[in-house]
Amino acid sequence: MVDTNLVLAVQNVTKRFGGLIAVNNLSFDVSRNEVMGIIGPNGSGKTTMMNLISGALALNEGTISLNGRYISRLPAHEINRRGIARTFQLVRVLPSLSLLENAMAGMVFGHQRLWGEQARHEASKLLERVGLGGQQNVPATALTYIDQKRLELARALAAKPEVLLLDEWLAGLNPTELQQGIDLIHSLREDGITIILVEHVMDAIRSLCDRCLVMAAGAKIAEGRPQEVLSDPEVIKVYLGEDI
Amino acid sequence: MDILITGLLLGGTYALIAFGLNLQYGVARIMNLANGEMIVLGALAAFWIFIADAISPILTMLIVAPLSFFGNWLIYRFLLRPLVRRAKNQGQLEVDSILATFGMAFALVGVMVSIHGEYFTYSYLAEPFEILGETFALNRIVAFCFAVLIGAALWLWLYFTRAGMAVRAVSVSTEASGLVGINVPQLSAIAFALGGAVTTMGGTLISTFITLDASVGVVFTMKALIIIIMGGVGDIRGAIVAALILGLVETAVARLIDPGLTLAAAYAIFVLILLFRPQGLFGRKPS
Amino acid sequence: MTSADVKQLVWGAILLALAACVPLVANGYWMSIALTIAMFTVLSTSWALFSGPTHYISLATAAFFGVGGFLVGTGMSDYNVDYWTMVVIASLAGTVLAFLVGLATLRLSGVYFVIFTLGLAEMIRTLVSWIQNNFTGSRGLYVLTDLGEVDIYLHLVLVAAFVYLAGWWIARSRLGFAMRIIGNDETVARHVGINTAFSKVILFTFSGFVASLVGALIAPRYTYIEPNGVFSPELSFIVVIMALLGGTGRLWGPIVGVIPFALLQEYINANYSNYSTLVLGIAFLVIVYFLPQGVLGRLEQLWAKRRQSTW
């Protein structure tokens, strides 16, 4: 019996880089319209896990499925067309394209295949949505850091994804920008998107996430609601070290 | 049997040329397509000096080595370093260095052709020598022995001296090397220069038993490339094995099928390697 | 279509019409040069359609050009097939070869791609030479037609029109957009659903098709086809130099490099033929150190600076 509420299933996934095991037999499920946070100290394998889901890296063992179909061995562009979009840890806008074109990029090649006037119209609306309205023909390189992040988000949303991967999207923002960012992500929930976010900013985790997964050294050490997970002594030990 | 030993002798000499390119590409990260022209320069020098004064090419080799070292150091410092500084990423540096070294290669060929356009060869130690009941040309054996000597010296330097270790570190990671206090630009220049010197020495050795002309450099560049890619870039062991294989295959094809197909055979190996195992026999698969 | 698009089409049509009128004013010597320029314009422009956006330097042009010329030669000489049928066959063969090579080289990047394409062209050359020497017996192949230089020139102008139209169309299409994105950031390109491999193969196949078509069309000029002639590696290098010299940023960039360099080559070959290789070398060095974006790129940089300074 297929669970239609289950959007993404990660099962026993392992990723090795030579002798280093970056992701170690990790399993977790993500339900529809859920916001799942992945947290853990630096080097715990969070971004690698994101890369495995989006297809940027190939896994060594295990499977990943979207809506019951395997995506684990598919190329990144195919995974995108199936409905997964992402932002990157180090923001990657397309420098020689305008803002409008950056946003359009997400919708031209995905499952929607929009083009021409319709694509420009939709892209324009998206730019407004993320707070970049009115700057359509500005070159992408002229943007501030948070605006670049907004642009990347617009590009990801342009794909009308089922699952949105946000890799430390809230990093490097000042308190005002952070609040704006959190509000923006909140508003995405209303569109029915399922979100997986990798974060270090605990306030964001607490206010946004339904559930949380804690990774350390590639393995899962806790899973559950943010309050439970963040007060788990194992989790605290992993972040702050042993009691002296 | 004859094929086996001749092939190995040839391969051994090829290995020396591959070492040179390995240093230049593996450490200095410059794909030096003018590599073949360094070989021809070394060969020309041996030819002229031998014809003029009957001085042994081995002695010439010892003279041209420091000259080549200095010349290549100058090339790196003034022609290639600006490209390294200018490039925003490794990909762009590769493209730039390909174009620049093509330019150098053509310029060198152009100059050499106008100075000495014809084929050149000379007779040095062209006597028979017996191994295991079969006769071989003494010059090939001598060339092989010196190639082994130089190769061994190089290997010892790389693995048993501090400078050598620094060079190996840079070939693994330029960034990390910089972080541990290695002067990467200076070491890259030295590696490039050393690579050029080794290549030129290989050229003088090869000239003892092969007829060359000013434009044949590109063939040697291709062979050196085939060897280092087949063996895995930066890998000395791999380069040796690959060079021996190439020497064997070439000799076998020349004797058993047709001498006209040696080049095609070499390219065929290359194409197959790039298609099926681009990291080389000993390289690690990129994740 | 925007008004800018229409303007481009009109300009293109005018210039091509002018090009077609050249035979009316050119005498034998200049007609010959015009023919060479036409050939290289088509080769360089189609080369730039692939190598411009991807930054992959392909040296396979000689392989496809050679296949085109050689098949026409052997088809007419050894098998008595008529010229135009051979042109079609040769172009198809070149296209298939380009497609296979394109697929094979996808995983390669940078240096490996350059060397692979160079090695491939050389391998085909030595193989064809060897087969010819040992099997078909004939040393050279004769291509005897009624076509004169003017006819061949007009054929090439037609192909040029086709290439420019294709380039114009690609730039406005999804494929062009995809190539711009790939040129900016290939990882992002893959993550927005672009099948980067497929896009590259299509463009590479197209440039291979054009090169083999040109090889076939120009065969009657030489009348006598020899493997070392049609598969000349120099051809690949010259095409690269011309395209980079002009600048690959714009569709009409390469022709800016073709015309002066072709004229320079004429001059050098006539007076200092020993130095032609040296000239190639110097050209590469000039491009790398002084004109990395080509003449057009440099002009556009200067133009942008002037506009900034007037503020």
Side-chain angles (χ1 to χ4, degrees):
Chain A
M1 183 67 191
V2 175
D3 181 359
T4 52
N5 212 27
L6 177 63
V7 166
L8 193 76
V10 173
Q11 284 170 318
N12 304 106
V13 167
T14 299
K15 174 65 183 172
R16 280 182 281 268
F17 292 104
L20 173 70
I21 303 182
V23 175
N24 196 351
N25 204 19
L26 190 63
S27 303
F28 63 93
D29 296 332
V30 185
S31 309
R32 198 166 302 281
N33 209 20
E34 183 173 36
V35 177
M36 163 81 113
I38 302 183
I39 62 179
N42 280 321
S44 52
K46 312 187 293 294
T47 296
T48 307
M49 190 62 237
M50 297 289 248
N51 283 334
L52 291 171
I53 298 175
S54 82
L57 289 175
L59 46 73
N60 294 113
E61 284 161 35
T63 61
I64 303 177
S65 11
L66 179 68
N67 287 321
R69 295 163 73 201
Y70 287 136
I71 58 171
S72 10
R73 298 253 173 232
L74 293 177
H77 69 261
E78 187 55 41
I79 295 179
N80 171 265
R81 290 182 195 175
R82 298 268 182 104
I84 296 185
R86 70 172 292 179
T87 64
F88 294 89
Q89 194 174 8
L90 293 172
V91 74
R92 297 171 101 130
V93 296
L94 301 167
S96 74
L97 274 56
S98 70
L99 259 61
L100 194 68
E101 288 173 322
N102 265 272
M104 278 170 72
M107 59 182 65
V108 172
F109 307 98
H111 60 90
Q112 301 176 88
R113 296 191 68 76
L114 297 178
W115 187 238
E117 198 45 50
Q118 193 189 13
R120 274 190 285 274
H121 181 69
E122 293 295 317
S124 192
K125 279 175 24 192
L126 264 174
L127 287 177
E128 294 259 3
R129 174 85 195 278
V130 299
L132 290 172
Q135 295 190 66
Q136 291 184 24
N137 294 310
V138 171
T141 44
L143 291 180
T144 61
Y145 188 58
I146 176 154
D147 281 346
Q148 283 186 6
K149 283 180 173 264
R150 289 187 212 260
L151 185 59
E152 228 195 2
L153 184 64
R155 185 179 71 215
L157 291 175
K160 280 223 172 34
E162 267 201 74
V163 177
L164 179 65
L165 306 175
L166 296 174
D167 197 348
E168 299 196 33
W169 192 76
L170 296 166
L173 301 176
N174 66 40
T176 324
E177 293 166 339
L178 184 60
Q179 193 50 54
Q180 288 173 347
I182 294 179
D183 293 338
L184 192 48
I185 298 180
H186 261 303
S187 75
L188 295 178
R189 298 196 62 169
E190 276 124 54
D191 295 338
I193 302 179
T194 307
I195 302 178
I196 304 178
L197 41 83
V198 166
E199 265 315 328
H200 281 295
V201 183
M202 291 310 162
D203 287 343
I205 299 288
R206 265 185 253 269
S207 74
L208 285 171
C209 298
D210 301 316
R211 278 195 310 139
C212 242
L213 173 77
V214 187
M215 284 179 73
K220 166 162 60 170
I221 61 169
E223 186 178 0
R225 295 166 57 79
Q227 301 103 294
E228 297 156 16
V229 152
L230 291 173
S231 47
D232 182 331
E234 277 302 308
V235 173
I236 298 178
K237 191 165 41 164
V238 138
Y239 268 107
L240 298 176
E242 299 274 358
D243 270 345
I244 301 165
Chain B
M1 197 53 196
D2 172 32
I3 296 177
L4 189 64
I5 298 192
T6 311
L8 288 175
L9 290 178
L10 185 62
T13 326
Y14 278 164
L16 197 62
I17 299 166
F19 285 164
L21 190 59
N22 233 343
L23 279 169
Q24 292 179 328
Y25 187 47
V27 180
R29 302 284 193 280
I30 302 283
M31 178 53 82
N32 182 10
L33 294 167
N35 183 272
E37 274 61 45
M38 291 300 153
I39 294 176
V40 176
L41 278 173
L44 260 180
F47 172 69
W48 278 329
I49 296 183
F50 187 77
I51 295 290
D53 279 322
I55 292 181
S56 154
I58 307 299
L59 215 56
T60 309
M61 186 174 74
L62 297 172
I63 302 173
V64 297
L67 283 173
S68 173
F69 183 91
F70 186 59
N72 276 285
W73 188 85
L74 285 175
I75 291 177
Y76 184 82
R77 180 75 182 70
F78 292 107
L79 286 180
L80 298 170
R81 249 256 278 283
L83 297 180
V84 174
R85 267 200 287 258
R86 185 173 87 180
K88 286 176 228 122
N89 54 47
Q90 175 66 13
Q92 201 186 7
L93 174 62
E94 284 194 348
V95 171
D96 281 348
S97 59
I98 291 172
L99 295 176
T101 53
F102 265 142
M104 284 192 288
F106 284 126
L108 282 170
V109 169
V111 165
M112 284 193 289
V113 162
S114 41
I115 298 181
H116 188 110
E118 314 86 44
Y119 285 94
F120 56 92
T121 186
Y122 54 90
S123 188
Y124 174 72
L125 293 184
E127 301 126 31
F129 188 81
E130 249 194 57
I131 298 181
L132 301 177
E134 308 248 11
T135 47
F136 303 94
L138 184 58
N139 46 25
R140 285 181 187 254
I141 296 175
V142 168
F144 177 78
C145 292
F146 273 99
V148 168
L149 263 167
I150 298 173
L154 192 60
W155 186 82
L156 285 172
W157 184 78
L158 279 176
Y159 282 87
F160 291 96
T161 68
R162 255 183 104 197
M165 183 158 77
V167 165
R168 279 185 293 128
V170 175
S171 84
V172 171
S173 164
T174 48
E175 267 185 63
S177 299
L179 291 174
V180 299
I182 293 177
N183 186 339
V184 173
Q186 196 183 71
L187 229 77
S188 299
I190 292 179
F192 191 85
L194 189 61
V198 168
T199 306
T200 313
M201 286 197 277
T204 52
L205 286 176
I206 281 194
S207 70
T208 60
F209 61 89
I210 291 186
T211 307
L212 303 164
D213 74 300
S215 64
V216 83
V218 66
V219 169
F220 284 105
T221 306
M222 287 291 316
K223 291 190 186 178
L225 270 166
I226 292 173
I227 292 171
I228 67 170
I229 291 178
M230 182 158 54
V233 177
D235 198 304
I236 298 274
R237 235 181 347 157
I240 297 176
V241 171
L244 292 176
I245 295 179
L246 185 68
L248 278 168
V249 168
E250 272 196 16
T251 314
V253 166
R255 300 284 177 88
L256 301 173
I257 308 179
D258 191 314
L261 278 181
T262 50
L263 218 50
Y267 290 132
I269 295 179
F270 184 61
V271 163
L272 288 171
I273 296 269
L274 280 185
L275 286 181
F276 297 112
R277 209 181 155 85
Q279 71 273 24
L281 295 169
F282 292 93
R284 255 179 299 129
K285 229 184 152 117
S287 61
Chain C
M1 278 210 290
T2 65
S3 67
D5 289 336
V6 173
K7 243 197 323 189
Q8 282 172 357
L9 283 178
V10 169
W11 264 113
I14 293 178
L15 289 170
L16 282 162
L18 281 176
C21 293
V22 164
L24 299 173
V25 298
N27 63 19
Y29 175 68
W30 287 105
M31 195 60 231
S32 181
I33 294 186
L35 183 51
T36 306
I37 289 181
M39 175 178 98
F40 279 115
T41 301
V42 178
L43 287 174
S44 301
T45 310
S46 62
W47 181 89
L49 282 179
F50 169 75
S51 294
T54 58
H55 298 296
Y56 281 40
I57 309 251
S58 160
L59 291 175
T61 311
F64 305 126
F65 181 86
V67 162
F70 186 76
L71 283 179
V72 165
T74 188
M76 291 183 72
S77 214
D78 298 331
Y79 300 97
N80 281 317
V81 183
D82 72 287
Y83 175 65
W84 287 109
T85 312
M86 276 328 295
V87 168
V88 171
I89 296 179
S91 314
L92 277 173
T95 309
V96 169
L97 179 66
F99 181 68
L100 293 174
V101 172
L103 282 180
T105 57
L106 288 176
R107 283 169 285 165
L108 305 176
S109 61
V111 174
Y112 290 4
F113 180 81
V114 180
I115 304 301
F116 184 89
T117 51
L118 176 63
L120 190 85
E122 286 296 279
M123 187 173 83
I124 295 182
R125 183 168 68 92
T126 38
L127 263 176
V128 168
S129 220
W130 184 78
I131 293 178
Q132 256 220 315
N133 288 344
N134 294 312
F135 291 112
T136 63
S138 50
R139 243 322 167 75
L141 306 164
Y142 286 94
V143 176
L144 301 166
T145 63
D146 293 332
L147 299 169
E149 285 204 327
V150 175
D151 303 305
I152 302 176
Y153 174 78
L154 291 174
H155 295 160
L156 288 175
V157 169
L158 211 60
V159 177
F162 168 66
V163 170
Y164 277 116
L165 200 62
W168 176 85
W169 181 85
I170 289 174
R172 295 169 60 248
S173 71
R174 273 192 178 95
L175 181 60
F177 193 42
M179 295 316 293
R180 284 173 66 205
I181 297 174
I182 294 175
N184 270 263
D185 192 323
E186 189 157 344
T187 306
V188 169
R190 275 188 243 120
H191 280 92
V192 292
I194 296 175
N195 188 337
T196 54
F198 184 67
S199 311
K200 293 183 209 169
V201 172
I202 295 228
L203 284 178
F204 187 76
T205 307
F206 182 71
S207 75
F209 160 66
V210 174
S212 55
L213 179 61
V214 170
L217 288 176
I218 203 120
R221 176 190 205 183
Y222 302 123
T223 335
Y224 179 79
I225 306 283
E226 211 224 346
N228 285 331
V230 290
F231 287 106
S232 147
E234 246 193 27
L235 182 88
S236 295
F237 288 114
I238 294 175
V239 168
V240 172
I241 289 176
M242 287 173 169
L244 292 179
L245 199 57
T248 55
R250 301 255 178 208
L251 190 57
W252 39 280
I255 193 175
V256 170
V258 168
I259 296 180
F261 197 77
L263 292 172
L264 176 66
Q265 275 223 300
E266 259 309 304
Y267 181 69
I268 299 282
N269 282 336
N271 300 313
Y272 304 103
S273 65
N274 276 336
Y275 294 103
S276 58
T277 319
L278 184 57
V279 168
L280 285 185
I282 295 179
F284 269 120
L285 292 170
V286 163
I287 291 173
V288 171
Y289 292 104
F290 303 112
L291 297 171
Q293 315 292 344
V295 166
L296 226 58
R298 171 68 78 190
L299 285 178
E300 289 188 347
Q301 274 176 354
L302 293 173
W303 187 254
K305 271 202 197 130
R306 275 192 70 219
R307 279 161 105 221
Q308 272 183 353
S309 64
T310 57
W311 282 114

